[in-house]
Amino acid sequence: MGETFPMIGGVSEYSYTKNSTYQKQASNAVKEMIDEAVVESLDAGSTSTKVSIADLGCSVGPNTFFTVQNLIEAVQKKRPSETLEFQVFFNDHSSNDFNTLFSTLPPERQYHAAAVPGSFHGRLFPRSSITVAHSSHALQWLSKQPQGAPNEGRVHNRGAPEDVVKSYSDQYEKDLSCFMRARAEEIVKGGVLVLVVPGTPDGVSHSDHPAGVMFSYFGHSLMELANEGVVDKEKIDKFNLPIYAPAMGEMKRVIENNGCFSIEKMELTDPMSKVDGPIDVANLIMHMRAGLEGIFSAHFGDSVVEKMFAKISDKAQEISHFFESGFSKSTQLLVVLKRK
Amino acid sequence: MGETFPMIGGVSEYSYTKNSTYQKQASNAVKEMIDEAVVESLDAGSTSTKVSIADLGCSVGPNTFFTVQNLIEAVQKKRPSETLEFQVFFNDHSSNDFNTLFSTLPPERQYHAAAVPGSFHGRLFPRSSITVAHSSHALQWLSKQPQGAPNEGRVHNRGAPEDVVKSYSDQYEKDLSCFMRARAEEIVKGGVLVLVVPGTPDGVSHSDHPAGVMFSYFGHSLMELANEGVVDKEKIDKFNLPIYAPAMGEMKRVIENNGCFSIEKMELTDPMSKVDGPIDVANLIMHMRAGLEGIFSAHFGDSVVEKMFAKISDKAQEISHFFESGFSKSTQLLVVLKRK
């Protein structure tokens, strides 16, 4: 199992629970597409009224609860004449704050809830026991830091040398292959696997999504701290943020190599299509902090990370200008697969 | 759903994790009997290699892990020629410390682990989805405080007036009926339900097990604090510890009224049969504290409870003498049921 850096648990100011509306908006942008795709594709379990749904990389809610409710409604739309019984498995690393997840479960839920701890790069469920599996904003996490040449003051593959970029894509393919192999065993014939991941349009460099831009500001801010003598430059060179946004072609290749699923839908979408007005950068920084503070702190220590976020916040206006200058918005990849 | 007072979570001095060897010894006393009974009775799922095991009222380990391992080995003994795949559901109230449970899961486990939050007095799983269900040292917890006449300085039904005793047994029968109704829907035909509960020999008063003796010392200590002006006597009168040890006849009546299970085994056992030497009372007090501090604190406040435990500890020698004077040792009821 790889290293794990859970989202910030609990319900405090910097918690994921309080800072996940960005992910919610991004999910809303594909909600109807998922709904339609599940209704069209699902072709499983007609001999049983029991439907098992898994959300892989669920974090601590509330987004996972909306997602699961959408999936349940889609399945009910597909099989309207039956009284179905739903069991929902919320999965994340065992260090995830499941206590908070359980204490915020919707009281009026119409399903049996269960939590499954463990890495989704390995097996989590018995063979052929899952009807619909879903993973949103989770598969971009690599199971470990890509190991390559020093990354020259960067913390990511944006603008990095060729061999750094390659070590990222190699690790992603390895991880995704493990993920697909496990899901192929767990999902029933005719069952559906829905993936929502940050994606990069084919032929475009890995820099063109808001997260990529943000990551380069993380690097800039750390380098400023290095110049001020707060942190060693060597320490920055050794750090590669284990997050990757694949091109569509990369994703497709791994799925086809696996061979157990047919591709029902695969398209790049705009995660902010349901949002009016410009991106709220201060808010976006808070969101990234909820998700990323843990991994930066483990490497650089709390006090450096505190200063890094302060520097990034100072650059909010500059970042806003960058976002307004316009670049590819198709940065969220939606993939719907059916188990053959 | 009733009130919930979870065991003390985490791994600190007073935690359940560090103070549950008494429950472990009590489980050891029936381990082989359960093993045999499961091998003899189980008659389910031969068409599938998937085996679902549920531990109801699992708390935070480590006892639940030993229990589950024993059950898995028993099922494997019954079906030695098959490669079985086990999924284990750890159930307790949603306020249970599942984070600690997950962080202490045996790394070498040969099963898929899941946690299911919620009261076992209601439905937890889809219909016919469980092969073997087990509950040990949990069903004695009533879903709420028995409501009856003032209990005159007692905190339990030991030596209480007739109507207090009846309000306890009525609440127990109601709760157990709900439990049995839910399990009858969830356990597959031929599946097994194992219950280990504190029990009272038929025709003997409700006072004859170590817990009952201890509870009366809780009452004495609180009354001393009332005399010292630390706590109101009225407050003590309003408190009934929601714990009950049924007579075998009561247990049998509820199971027969339910009608969905055949009784494969029902007998009173000595929970300390595998322990040499006298009971370690200081240790026993620590164990009761891990399990009961929450419910006493909610009613009386932390400072009263601190003083109550200090007073009980002062009486350790007196309690030891009582235990050594000898009384019925058959205070643990083992019940093995098969779903018809």
Side-chain angles (χ1 to χ4, degrees):
Chain A
M1 196 160 92
E3 299 162 89
T4 72
F5 300 94
M7 305 298 101
I8 297 182
V11 291
S12 65
E13 188 190 2
Y14 294 121
S15 68
Y16 182 83
T17 296
K18 289 274 168 72
N19 292 285
S20 50
T21 50
Y22 175 86
Q23 288 84 341
K24 175 158 195 220
Q25 287 161 348
S27 293
N28 274 344
V30 287
K31 177 183 174 309
E32 284 151 41
M33 293 168 78
I34 291 176
D35 192 87
E36 265 171 42
V38 168
V39 174
E40 272 170 35
S41 311
L42 185 64
D43 189 21
S46 51
T47 56
S48 164
T49 54
K50 181 187 152 195
V51 176
S52 299
I53 292 181
D55 191 26
L56 309 165
C58 64
S59 188
V60 286
N63 293 340
T64 186
F65 306 133
F66 299 124
T67 297
V68 156
Q69 192 55 41
N70 293 344
L71 292 173
I72 287 177
E73 285 165 19
V75 175
Q76 281 170 329
K77 215 177 281 175
K78 176 81 180 195
R79 299 171 63 184
S81 60
E82 298 169 81
T83 306
L84 301 174
E85 209 177 359
F86 291 89
Q87 185 168 36
V88 173
F89 295 95
F90 296 95
N91 156 259
D92 212 314
H93 286 295
S94 62
S95 54
N96 185 52
D97 185 358
F98 286 102
N99 289 352
T100 294
L101 181 88
F102 283 163
S103 68
T104 53
L105 273 169
E108 73 290 359
R109 67 190 180 276
Q110 298 293 311
Y111 53 84
H112 303 290
V116 168
S119 162
F120 55 40
H121 294 122
R123 283 288 300 280
L124 297 165
F125 307 101
R127 237 181 302 279
S128 301
S129 68
I130 300 295
T131 322
V132 178
H134 170 274
S135 181
S136 180
H137 301 277
L139 267 172
Q140 75 272 22
W141 282 96
L142 302 176
S143 68
K144 58 182 182 185
Q145 278 198 42
Q147 300 302 319
N151 200 359
E152 292 161 30
R154 290 175 202 85
V155 298
H156 199 240
N157 59 355
R158 183 169 195 258
E162 195 60 32
D163 56 347
V164 175
V165 174
K166 186 163 184 328
S167 72
Y168 269 84
S169 65
D170 285 353
Q171 188 61 50
Y172 189 82
E173 291 207 10
K174 245 182 247 170
D175 287 345
L176 186 62
S177 300
C178 292
F179 177 91
M180 292 302 301
R181 203 153 41 228
R183 298 302 85 75
E185 297 203 55
E186 295 164 355
I187 296 174
V188 293
K189 192 172 177 316
V192 166
L193 173 59
V194 179
L195 307 176
V196 181
V197 297
T200 309
D202 274 322
V204 167
S205 94
H206 281 275
S207 45
D208 282 354
H209 59 90
V213 174
M214 291 302 297
F215 294 152
S216 65
Y217 278 95
F218 282 52
H220 297 337
S221 300
L222 282 168
M223 284 305 283
E224 284 177 29
L225 291 173
N227 292 337
E228 293 167 20
V230 174
V231 62
D232 277 351
K233 187 176 167 302
E234 264 190 14
K235 203 157 193 179
I236 305 174
D237 285 345
K238 275 190 197 138
F239 180 77
N240 277 330
L241 193 59
I243 288 182
Y244 186 75
M248 213 193 256
E250 286 177 287
M251 189 67 152
K252 206 170 163 190
R253 192 165 59 243
V254 177
I255 293 166
E256 286 173 350
N257 280 345
N258 173 277
C260 296
F261 292 88
S262 61
I263 299 176
E264 304 287 306
K265 190 184 258 307
M266 181 179 276
E267 72 180 81
L268 280 158
T269 61
D270 173 7
M272 291 292 101
S273 64
K274 299 274 161 127
V275 182
D276 291 330
I279 288 181
D280 176 347
V281 172
N283 193 23
L284 184 61
I285 293 170
M286 281 289 272
H287 278 73
M288 299 199 96
R289 181 166 189 161
L292 300 175
E293 186 174 293
I295 189 164
F296 277 98
S297 287
H299 188 81
F300 294 104
D302 291 345
S303 102
V304 170
V305 173
E306 194 67 48
K307 289 185 181 111
M308 178 186 78
F309 278 107
K311 280 201 182 285
I312 295 170
S313 295
D314 290 344
K315 298 189 184 80
Q317 210 171 359
E318 186 186 329
I319 300 173
S320 283
H321 284 312
F322 189 99
F323 281 157
E324 280 156 25
S325 71
F327 54 94
S328 171
K329 290 188 166 172
S330 300
T331 56
Q332 178 167 264
L333 187 53
L334 168 65
V335 183
V336 180
L337 306 173
K338 175 152 78 170
R339 180 72 171 91
K340 290 193 256 190
Chain B
M1 197 160 96
E3 301 162 89
T4 72
F5 300 95
M7 306 297 103
I8 297 181
V11 291
S12 65
E13 188 191 1
Y14 293 122
S15 68
Y16 182 82
T17 296
K18 288 275 170 72
N19 290 285
S20 49
T21 49
Y22 175 86
Q23 288 85 341
K24 175 155 195 220
Q25 286 160 347
S27 295
N28 274 345
V30 286
K31 179 184 174 308
E32 284 151 40
M33 294 168 78
I34 291 175
D35 193 87
E36 265 171 43
V38 169
V39 174
E40 273 169 35
S41 310
L42 185 65
D43 189 21
S46 51
T47 57
S48 165
T49 54
K50 182 187 151 194
V51 177
S52 299
I53 291 181
D55 191 25
L56 308 166
C58 64
S59 189
V60 286
N63 293 340
T64 185
F65 305 133
F66 299 125
T67 297
V68 156
Q69 193 53 41
N70 293 344
L71 292 173
I72 287 176
E73 285 166 18
V75 175
Q76 282 171 329
K77 215 177 281 175
K78 176 81 180 194
R79 299 170 64 184
S81 60
E82 297 167 82
T83 305
L84 301 173
E85 208 177 358
F86 291 90
Q87 185 169 37
V88 173
F89 295 96
F90 296 96
N91 157 259
D92 212 313
H93 286 294
S94 61
S95 53
N96 185 53
D97 185 359
F98 285 102
N99 288 352
T100 294
L101 180 88
F102 283 163
S103 68
T104 53
L105 275 168
E108 73 291 357
R109 66 190 180 277
Q110 298 294 311
Y111 53 83
H112 304 290
V116 169
S119 162
F120 55 40
H121 294 121
R123 285 287 301 279
L124 297 165
F125 306 101
R127 238 181 302 280
S128 300
S129 67
I130 299 294
T131 322
V132 178
H134 171 274
S135 181
S136 179
H137 302 278
L139 267 172
Q140 74 274 23
W141 283 96
L142 303 176
S143 67
K144 57 182 182 186
Q145 277 198 42
Q147 299 303 318
N151 202 357
E152 292 161 29
R154 290 175 202 86
V155 297
H156 199 240
N157 59 354
R158 180 168 197 258
E162 194 60 32
D163 55 349
V164 175
V165 175
K166 187 164 184 328
S167 73
Y168 268 84
S169 65
D170 285 354
Q171 187 61 49
Y172 189 82
E173 291 207 9
K174 245 182 249 171
D175 286 345
L176 187 61
S177 300
C178 291
F179 177 91
M180 292 303 300
R181 203 152 42 226
R183 300 302 84 75
E185 297 203 55
E186 295 163 355
I187 296 173
V188 293
K189 192 173 177 318
V192 166
L193 173 59
V194 179
L195 307 177
V196 182
V197 298
T200 308
D202 276 320
V204 167
S205 94
H206 281 274
S207 44
D208 282 354
H209 59 89
V213 174
M214 291 302 297
F215 294 152
S216 64
Y217 278 96
F218 282 54
H220 298 335
S221 299
L222 282 169
M223 284 305 284
E224 284 176 29
L225 291 173
N227 292 337
E228 293 167 21
V230 174
V231 62
D232 277 351
K233 186 177 169 301
E234 264 189 13
K235 203 157 192 177
I236 305 174
D237 284 345
K238 276 189 195 137
F239 181 78
N240 277 328
L241 192 60
I243 288 181
Y244 186 76
M248 212 193 256
E250 286 177 287
M251 189 68 154
K252 206 171 164 190
R253 192 164 59 243
V254 177
I255 293 165
E256 287 174 349
N257 281 345
N258 173 276
C260 296
F261 292 88
S262 62
I263 298 175
E264 303 288 306
K265 189 184 260 307
M266 181 179 277
E267 71 179 81
L268 280 159
T269 61
D270 173 6
M272 292 292 100
S273 64
K274 299 274 161 126
V275 182
D276 291 331
I279 288 181
D280 176 346
V281 172
N283 194 23
L284 185 60
I285 293 170
M286 282 289 272
H287 278 73
M288 299 201 97
R289 181 165 189 161
L292 300 175
E293 187 175 291
I295 190 164
F296 276 99
S297 287
H299 188 82
F300 294 104
D302 290 345
S303 101
V304 170
V305 173
E306 194 66 49
K307 290 185 181 110
M308 178 185 79
F309 278 107
K311 280 201 181 286
I312 296 169
S313 294
D314 290 345
K315 298 188 183 80
Q317 209 170 1
E318 185 186 330
I319 299 173
S320 283
H321 284 312
F322 189 99
F323 283 156
E324 280 157 23
S325 70
F327 54 96
S328 170
K329 290 189 167 172
S330 301
T331 57
Q332 179 167 263
L333 187 53
L334 168 64
V335 183
V336 180
L337 306 174
K338 176 152 76 169
R339 180 72 172 90
K340 289 194 257 190

Tab-separated table of all heavy atoms in Angstrom, chain A residues 42-77:
chain	number	residue	atom	x	y	z
A	42	LEU	N	-26.348	0.375	-17.524
A	42	LEU	CA	-26.472	-0.652	-16.484
A	42	LEU	C	-27.259	-1.850	-16.990
A	42	LEU	O	-28.326	-1.716	-17.563
A	42	LEU	CB	-27.162	-0.065	-15.246
A	42	LEU	CG	-27.246	-1.007	-14.043
A	42	LEU	CD1	-25.862	-1.340	-13.519
A	42	LEU	CD2	-28.093	-0.389	-12.935
A	43	ASP	N	-26.716	-2.998	-16.757
A	43	ASP	CA	-27.301	-4.192	-17.349
A	43	ASP	C	-27.003	-5.360	-16.426
A	43	ASP	O	-26.605	-6.424	-16.853
A	43	ASP	CB	-26.638	-4.386	-18.726
A	43	ASP	CG	-27.324	-5.460	-19.532
A	43	ASP	OD1	-28.492	-5.754	-19.237
A	43	ASP	OD2	-26.669	-6.005	-20.440
A	44	ALA	N	-27.176	-5.127	-15.123
A	44	ALA	CA	-26.721	-6.126	-14.150
A	44	ALA	C	-27.762	-6.370	-13.081
A	44	ALA	O	-28.589	-5.509	-12.783
A	44	ALA	CB	-25.447	-5.641	-13.468
A	45	GLY	N	-27.681	-7.533	-12.515
A	45	GLY	CA	-28.387	-7.808	-11.273
A	45	GLY	C	-29.886	-7.931	-11.397
A	45	GLY	O	-30.596	-7.825	-10.398
A	46	SER	N	-30.409	-8.161	-12.605
A	46	SER	CA	-31.860	-8.201	-12.739
A	46	SER	C	-32.465	-9.405	-11.996
A	46	SER	O	-33.659	-9.464	-11.779
A	46	SER	CB	-32.260	-8.215	-14.211
A	46	SER	OG	-31.542	-9.222	-14.872
A	47	THR	N	-31.622	-10.357	-11.612
A	47	THR	CA	-32.143	-11.514	-10.876
A	47	THR	C	-32.228	-11.242	-9.378
A	47	THR	O	-32.763	-12.035	-8.630
A	47	THR	CB	-31.245	-12.758	-11.084
A	47	THR	OG1	-29.918	-12.399	-10.679
A	47	THR	CG2	-31.233	-13.184	-12.533
A	48	SER	N	-31.687	-10.117	-8.924
A	48	SER	CA	-31.704	-9.813	-7.495
A	48	SER	C	-32.218	-8.394	-7.276
A	48	SER	O	-31.983	-7.505	-8.087
A	48	SER	CB	-30.279	-9.949	-6.938
A	48	SER	OG	-30.184	-9.319	-5.685
A	49	THR	N	-32.920	-8.174	-6.171
A	49	THR	CA	-33.391	-6.818	-5.871
A	49	THR	C	-32.373	-6.066	-5.018
A	49	THR	O	-32.611	-4.957	-4.600
A	49	THR	CB	-34.738	-6.853	-5.134
A	49	THR	OG1	-34.593	-7.684	-3.985
A	49	THR	CG2	-35.835	-7.397	-6.024
A	50	LYS	N	-31.232	-6.718	-4.753
A	50	LYS	CA	-30.179	-6.072	-3.977
A	50	LYS	C	-29.207	-5.357	-4.917
A	50	LYS	O	-28.709	-5.964	-5.869
A	50	LYS	CB	-29.432	-7.132	-3.156
A	50	LYS	CG	-28.330	-6.557	-2.285
A	50	LYS	CD	-27.499	-7.651	-1.629
A	50	LYS	CE	-26.090	-7.149	-1.368
A	50	LYS	NZ	-25.130	-8.209	-1.077
A	51	VAL	N	-28.962	-4.077	-4.676
A	51	VAL	CA	-28.045	-3.299	-5.499
A	51	VAL	C	-26.920	-2.758	-4.613
A	51	VAL	O	-27.176	-2.095	-3.610
A	51	VAL	CB	-28.788	-2.119	-6.172
A	51	VAL	CG1	-27.818	-1.251	-6.965
A	51	VAL	CG2	-29.917	-2.627	-7.056
A	52	SER	N	-25.676	-3.091	-4.981
A	52	SER	CA	-24.530	-2.621	-4.198
A	52	SER	C	-23.832	-1.485	-4.925
A	52	SER	O	-23.447	-1.624	-6.082
A	52	SER	CB	-23.525	-3.753	-3.989
A	52	SER	OG	-24.126	-4.802	-3.296
A	53	ILE	N	-23.668	-0.375	-4.226
A	53	ILE	CA	-23.014	0.796	-4.805
A	53	ILE	C	-21.757	1.108	-3.995
A	53	ILE	O	-21.788	1.053	-2.763
A	53	ILE	CB	-23.987	1.993	-4.797
A	53	ILE	CG1	-25.121	1.707	-5.797
A	53	ILE	CG2	-23.273	3.305	-5.107
A	53	ILE	CD1	-26.153	2.787	-5.918
A	54	ALA	N	-20.662	1.400	-4.683
A	54	ALA	CA	-19.424	1.748	-3.974
A	54	ALA	C	-18.950	3.122	-4.411
A	54	ALA	O	-18.922	3.423	-5.603
A	54	ALA	CB	-18.346	0.709	-4.265
A	55	ASP	N	-18.591	3.980	-3.440
A	55	ASP	CA	-17.937	5.242	-3.780
A	55	ASP	C	-16.484	5.148	-3.312
A	55	ASP	O	-16.208	5.051	-2.114
A	55	ASP	CB	-18.648	6.436	-3.132
A	55	ASP	CG	-18.134	7.757	-3.706
A	55	ASP	OD1	-17.650	7.751	-4.858
A	55	ASP	OD2	-18.207	8.791	-3.016
A	56	LEU	N	-15.578	5.162	-4.279
A	56	LEU	CA	-14.165	4.884	-4.003
A	56	LEU	C	-13.390	6.186	-3.849
A	56	LEU	O	-13.359	7.004	-4.765
A	56	LEU	CB	-13.593	4.044	-5.147
A	56	LEU	CG	-14.435	2.800	-5.474
A	56	LEU	CD1	-14.039	2.207	-6.822
A	56	LEU	CD2	-14.314	1.761	-4.374
A	57	GLY	N	-12.789	6.384	-2.676
A	57	GLY	CA	-12.141	7.670	-2.386
A	57	GLY	C	-13.181	8.689	-1.983
A	57	GLY	O	-13.245	9.790	-2.502
A	58	CYS	N	-14.036	8.309	-1.019
A	58	CYS	CA	-15.226	9.102	-0.681
A	58	CYS	C	-14.897	10.311	0.174
A	58	CYS	O	-15.691	11.230	0.282
A	58	CYS	CB	-16.226	8.227	0.057
A	58	CYS	SG	-15.614	7.629	1.658
A	59	SER	N	-13.744	10.314	0.840
A	59	SER	CA	-13.396	11.345	1.819
A	59	SER	C	-14.471	11.402	2.910
A	59	SER	O	-15.029	10.368	3.267
A	59	SER	CB	-13.180	12.690	1.124
A	59	SER	OG	-12.678	13.618	2.052
A	60	VAL	N	-14.774	12.597	3.443
A	60	VAL	CA	-15.661	12.655	4.615
A	60	VAL	C	-17.024	13.300	4.348
A	60	VAL	O	-17.716	13.671	5.272
A	60	VAL	CB	-14.988	13.429	5.768
A	60	VAL	CG1	-13.918	12.580	6.398
A	60	VAL	CG2	-14.394	14.746	5.289
A	61	GLY	N	-17.427	13.399	3.113
A	61	GLY	CA	-18.703	14.032	2.853
A	61	GLY	C	-18.595	15.542	2.899
A	61	GLY	O	-17.532	16.053	3.213
A	62	PRO	N	-19.673	16.294	2.537
A	62	PRO	CA	-20.983	15.776	2.158
A	62	PRO	C	-21.092	15.340	0.698
A	62	PRO	O	-22.097	14.748	0.328
A	62	PRO	CB	-21.907	16.972	2.418
A	62	PRO	CG	-21.050	18.161	2.129
A	62	PRO	CD	-19.652	17.769	2.559
A	63	ASN	N	-20.057	15.616	-0.149
A	63	ASN	CA	-20.227	15.327	-1.579
A	63	ASN	C	-20.567	13.873	-1.868
A	63	ASN	O	-21.368	13.575	-2.743
A	63	ASN	CB	-18.958	15.723	-2.344
A	63	ASN	CG	-18.751	17.230	-2.343
A	63	ASN	OD1	-19.694	17.979	-2.116
A	63	ASN	ND2	-17.529	17.668	-2.564
A	64	THR	N	-19.934	12.958	-1.124
A	64	THR	CA	-20.180	11.536	-1.387
A	64	THR	C	-21.657	11.194	-1.202
A	64	THR	O	-22.205	10.340	-1.896
A	64	THR	CB	-19.256	10.642	-0.514
A	64	THR	OG1	-19.433	9.285	-0.899
A	64	THR	CG2	-19.545	10.803	0.977
A	65	PHE	N	-22.341	11.879	-0.267
A	65	PHE	CA	-23.767	11.588	-0.042
A	65	PHE	C	-24.628	12.031	-1.228
A	65	PHE	O	-25.574	11.342	-1.613
A	65	PHE	CB	-24.256	12.250	1.256
A	65	PHE	CG	-23.429	11.883	2.457
A	65	PHE	CD1	-22.989	12.853	3.353
A	65	PHE	CD2	-23.071	10.558	2.695
A	65	PHE	CE1	-22.224	12.522	4.455
A	65	PHE	CE2	-22.295	10.211	3.796
A	65	PHE	CZ	-21.869	11.196	4.680
A	66	PHE	N	-24.287	13.201	-1.822
A	66	PHE	CA	-25.019	13.649	-3.016
A	66	PHE	C	-24.795	12.671	-4.166
A	66	PHE	O	-25.727	12.271	-4.856
A	66	PHE	CB	-24.545	15.052	-3.447
A	66	PHE	CG	-24.767	16.114	-2.413
A	66	PHE	CD1	-23.716	16.892	-1.954
A	66	PHE	CD2	-26.038	16.345	-1.890
A	66	PHE	CE1	-23.916	17.878	-0.993
A	66	PHE	CE2	-26.245	17.328	-0.929
A	66	PHE	CZ	-25.177	18.091	-0.477
A	67	THR	N	-23.524	12.306	-4.365
A	67	THR	CA	-23.162	11.394	-5.444
A	67	THR	C	-23.929	10.090	-5.351
A	67	THR	O	-24.513	9.608	-6.325
A	67	THR	CB	-21.647	11.076	-5.344
A	67	THR	OG1	-20.934	12.288	-5.545
A	67	THR	CG2	-21.238	10.043	-6.359
A	68	VAL	N	-23.921	9.520	-4.147
A	68	VAL	CA	-24.565	8.226	-3.923
A	68	VAL	C	-26.067	8.339	-4.173
A	68	VAL	O	-26.680	7.461	-4.797
A	68	VAL	CB	-24.255	7.768	-2.477
A	68	VAL	CG1	-25.286	6.803	-1.971
A	68	VAL	CG2	-22.843	7.179	-2.421
A	69	GLN	N	-26.666	9.433	-3.710
A	69	GLN	CA	-28.105	9.638	-3.920
A	69	GLN	C	-28.422	9.702	-5.421
A	69	GLN	O	-29.394	9.092	-5.886
A	69	GLN	CB	-28.538	10.924	-3.203
A	69	GLN	CG	-30.038	11.099	-3.098
A	69	GLN	CD	-30.728	9.907	-2.439
A	69	GLN	OE1	-30.245	9.342	-1.477
A	69	GLN	NE2	-31.864	9.489	-3.019
A	70	ASN	N	-27.573	10.408	-6.178
A	70	ASN	CA	-27.756	10.484	-7.636
A	70	ASN	C	-27.696	9.106	-8.282
A	70	ASN	O	-28.507	8.779	-9.149
A	70	ASN	CB	-26.660	11.351	-8.276
A	70	ASN	CG	-26.785	12.808	-7.877
A	70	ASN	OD1	-27.833	13.233	-7.381
A	70	ASN	ND2	-25.717	13.568	-8.077
A	71	LEU	N	-26.731	8.300	-7.852
A	71	LEU	CA	-26.572	6.969	-8.442
A	71	LEU	C	-27.791	6.098	-8.125
A	71	LEU	O	-28.292	5.366	-8.978
A	71	LEU	CB	-25.292	6.300	-7.919
A	71	LEU	CG	-23.975	6.944	-8.388
A	71	LEU	CD1	-22.792	6.310	-7.665
A	71	LEU	CD2	-23.794	6.793	-9.899
A	72	ILE	N	-28.272	6.185	-6.875
A	72	ILE	CA	-29.446	5.402	-6.483
A	72	ILE	C	-30.648	5.790	-7.346
A	72	ILE	O	-31.370	4.923	-7.858
A	72	ILE	CB	-29.748	5.608	-4.980
A	72	ILE	CG1	-28.687	4.870	-4.149
A	72	ILE	CG2	-31.153	5.139	-4.619
A	72	ILE	CD1	-28.824	5.057	-2.649
A	73	GLU	N	-30.821	7.099	-7.547
A	73	GLU	CA	-31.964	7.544	-8.355
A	73	GLU	C	-31.833	7.074	-9.807
A	73	GLU	O	-32.832	6.733	-10.442
A	73	GLU	CB	-32.106	9.067	-8.271
A	73	GLU	CG	-32.691	9.475	-6.920
A	73	GLU	CD	-32.546	10.964	-6.598
A	73	GLU	OE1	-32.322	11.763	-7.533
A	73	GLU	OE2	-32.652	11.309	-5.400
A	74	ALA	N	-30.601	7.051	-10.317
A	74	ALA	CA	-30.387	6.571	-11.684
A	74	ALA	C	-30.753	5.090	-11.796
A	74	ALA	O	-31.431	4.670	-12.745
A	74	ALA	CB	-28.938	6.799	-12.098
A	75	VAL	N	-30.333	4.290	-10.812
A	75	VAL	CA	-30.656	2.851	-10.848
A	75	VAL	C	-32.165	2.652	-10.740
A	75	VAL	O	-32.753	1.815	-11.447
A	75	VAL	CB	-29.922	2.080	-9.720
A	75	VAL	CG1	-30.355	0.623	-9.689
A	75	VAL	CG2	-28.411	2.179	-9.890
A	76	GLN	N	-32.814	3.443	-9.882
A	76	GLN	CA	-34.272	3.315	-9.733
A	76	GLN	C	-34.996	3.680	-11.031
A	76	GLN	O	-36.012	3.080	-11.370
A	76	GLN	CB	-34.764	4.204	-8.586
A	76	GLN	CG	-34.494	3.561	-7.217
A	76	GLN	CD	-34.750	4.497	-6.056
A	76	GLN	OE1	-34.583	5.707	-6.186
A	76	GLN	NE2	-35.133	3.940	-4.909
A	77	LYS	N	-34.433	4.675	-11.766
A	77	LYS	CA	-35.015	5.071	-13.045
A	77	LYS	C	-34.923	3.915	-14.047
A	77	LYS	O	-35.812	3.697	-14.863
A	77	LYS	CB	-34.257	6.299	-13.569
A	77	LYS	CG	-35.120	7.297	-14.312
A	77	LYS	CD	-34.314	8.514	-14.726
A	77	LYS	CE	-34.099	9.505	-13.594
A	77	LYS	NZ	-33.212	10.635	-13.991
